[in-house]
Amino acid sequence: MNLTELKQDFYKRFNASDNFLHFTSNGIFCTLLGCTETEYTPSLGCTLSMGVKMFSRRLEGGLISLQENKSNKCFSYIFGSNTENLRGDGNEYVNLFRRLEPLGLKGTQVLFEYSVPEFLPRSEIFFLTLTQALEKSSGIELEPLNTAALASPDGRLNTYLGILYSKKGYCTLVSSGTPKNFPLPLTGCKILSVHCTQRQRTRSKQINYAFEHVRRLFPHIASISDITPEMLTMAAPNIKSRQALRYMCHLTDENIRIETACAALKHCNSNELFRQIKLSQASMERYWDLDNEHIFLANCCKPLEGIKAVRSWENGIVVIADENMIDHIINIVRSEFVNNIGYQPSFCISDII
């Protein structure tokens, strides 16, 4: 629904009031280069038009009410209540409220709407947007790094910072230090994401293991973006896990690709970005232990007309393509995937915001 309808829905659910409504929205962070699995891995990405929207209103007293516009269920939390037995999402909400409460959190009513499909991860964008909404309603003013740290339950800040520092028409580099924005000229293009049911494996444990071994030789290293291939070669004999070493090989080479892409984007050279994304996909297929369905999706798209770049992302791929070729691409990929894998993948078309 549009903003006017969402606002009217808010008043219908929470009754009319003179208190000011705050609006907060964010798009999901799409990784073009790099990785967001740990706090040490740099990433270059952009926010997409699909995401979450929230209206919030300060409520007198110590009650927080949270509701999705497609559901009649309302999660309510009273400050100081006994919630030790909560499980699942409710417990995550409470942990966030407790992190914010010492900063002056006030009672708040929140109504939210997802435009990001269920087959993509929602937790980062939801908890970041909810944190921002609660801050606005409570009059709390924090630096972006503090907001990201409060929103993140596990200290992995890259995705949160990428969203917070995003800017329309730009992509965002998240590494050590403050994120940086670079022009992302994609006029006439759309972002198509294609997803299968086979989820990508988690690599954070192996990445952190290899990273710590590199840091033993080079204690000054603060981020994987600081590691050169030469450093990794020196540390390799001590990295007993061959899987972890392969992951780190991809990431150290990715550092060079990210640097090359950012230098090109300063001059609005999107063709070089596309070339680096293609090289990144080839590296992922070599080192990243991609599953067969993800590789199949990428190989379906690579030779098609109108496609600028293809790269594995989440449980599928992300494709940058000419806007007028999107329908043609979807029809071919759907047919090939069904004929060879046996079921239909999920598609989502987005703009860059």
Side-chain angles (χ1 to χ4, degrees):
M1 60 177 60
N2 60 38
L3 292 187
T4 301
E5 291 171 331
L6 186 62
K7 191 173 184 179
Q8 290 173 345
D9 194 17
F10 183 98
Y11 286 124
K12 185 187 300 182
R13 292 169 185 261
F14 294 121
N15 300 320
S17 172
D18 294 332
N19 285 6
F20 183 77
L21 284 188
H22 299 273
F23 176 70
T24 312
S25 68
N26 285 303
I28 194 170
F29 188 75
C30 175
T31 307
L32 301 176
L33 290 170
C35 166
T36 60
E37 287 199 29
T38 80
E39 67 267 36
Y40 305 116
T41 48
S43 64
L44 181 70
C46 58
T47 50
L48 304 180
S49 54
M50 55 182 178
V52 63
K53 303 172 184 176
M54 287 186 184
F55 274 110
S56 61
R57 178 175 66 190
R58 181 170 171 176
L59 185 67
E60 299 305 322
L63 172 68
I64 294 179
S65 296
L66 180 65
Q67 194 167 0
E68 183 181 0
N69 70 324
K70 293 181 180 179
S71 171
N72 291 322
K73 295 180 180 179
C74 182
F75 177 83
S76 297
Y77 171 73
I78 301 174
F79 293 165
S81 59
N82 184 357
T83 56
E84 299 301 325
N85 295 322
L86 277 175
R87 296 289 185 272
D89 290 342
N91 199 34
E92 291 180 332
Y93 298 152
V94 171
N95 289 335
L96 173 61
F97 301 155
R98 286 177 174 170
R99 290 195 293 272
L100 282 164
E101 197 167 347
L103 303 176
L105 181 63
K106 308 297 183 184
T108 311
Q109 295 168 321
V110 180
L111 179 68
F112 65 94
E113 177 187 45
Y114 282 121
S115 59
V116 55
E118 293 183 1
F119 53 78
L120 283 174
R122 296 177 169 187
S123 59
E124 291 97 342
I125 187 173
F126 173 77
F127 280 99
L128 178 60
T129 309
L130 178 58
T131 301
Q132 291 176 295
L134 293 171
E135 288 176 5
K136 287 181 180 179
S137 297
S138 302
I140 301 171
E141 296 184 7
L142 298 174
E143 294 295 323
L145 181 60
N146 293 330
T147 296
L150 287 166
S152 171
D154 54 9
R156 286 172 48 193
L157 305 183
N158 281 11
T159 300
Y160 300 89
L161 289 173
I163 296 170
L164 284 172
Y165 279 89
S166 64
K167 184 178 178 183
K168 188 173 183 178
Y170 287 76
C171 58
T172 305
L173 172 64
V174 184
S175 186
S176 55
T178 303
K180 299 177 182 178
N181 288 322
F182 297 89
L184 186 59
L186 294 181
T187 303
C189 293
K190 294 278 190 181
I191 300 290
L192 171 67
S193 56
V194 190
H195 302 273
C196 54
T197 59
Q198 191 175 49
R199 300 197 67 82
Q200 283 211 39
R201 64 196 67 195
T202 301
R203 304 172 181 85
S204 56
K205 184 177 179 180
Q206 291 89 348
I207 292 171
N208 287 334
Y209 164 79
F211 181 58
E212 289 305 319
H213 277 287
V214 176
R215 283 215 294 198
R216 289 176 186 176
L217 285 180
F218 305 96
H220 65 285
I221 295 298
S223 167
I224 289 176
S225 61
D226 301 322
I227 300 176
T228 64
E230 292 75 19
M231 291 178 181
L232 183 59
T233 299
M234 294 178 66
N238 298 320
I239 302 175
K240 303 305 180 183
S241 167
R242 296 297 92 183
Q243 187 180 50
L245 182 59
R246 288 199 307 273
Y247 294 165
M248 193 58 72
C249 285
H250 168 72
L251 292 172
T252 52
D253 289 345
E254 197 82 337
N255 290 337
I256 300 171
R257 288 187 282 269
I258 290 174
E259 185 177 344
T260 303
C262 290
L265 289 174
K266 288 180 180 178
H267 303 286
C268 295
N269 181 359
S270 56
N271 288 330
E272 183 61 37
L273 170 66
F274 302 150
R275 192 174 81 87
Q276 295 304 320
I277 292 175
K278 293 174 184 177
L279 291 173
S280 178
Q281 176 63 21
S283 177
M284 294 177 81
E285 292 178 10
R286 179 181 180 186
Y287 293 119
W288 211 235
D289 291 332
L290 294 177
D291 291 311
N292 291 336
E293 290 185 13
H294 303 143
I295 295 175
F296 185 85
L297 280 175
N299 288 337
C300 277
C301 291
K302 288 175 186 176
L304 297 182
E305 182 183 356
I307 288 183
K308 308 293 186 183
V310 178
R311 187 177 187 269
S312 293
W313 177 55
E314 294 300 334
N315 57 319
I317 58 171
V318 60
V319 178
I320 303 176
D322 290 335
E323 183 175 3
N324 59 359
M325 296 298 294
I326 290 291
D327 290 341
H328 175 69
I329 293 168
I330 289 175
N331 288 335
I332 292 179
V333 173
R334 179 188 289 118
S335 176
E336 288 292 320
F337 198 84
V338 169
N339 290 338
N340 288 273
I341 306 300
Y343 68 92
Q344 289 197 28
S346 300
F347 297 88
C348 188
I349 305 170
S350 302
D351 292 308
I352 292 179
I353 60 172

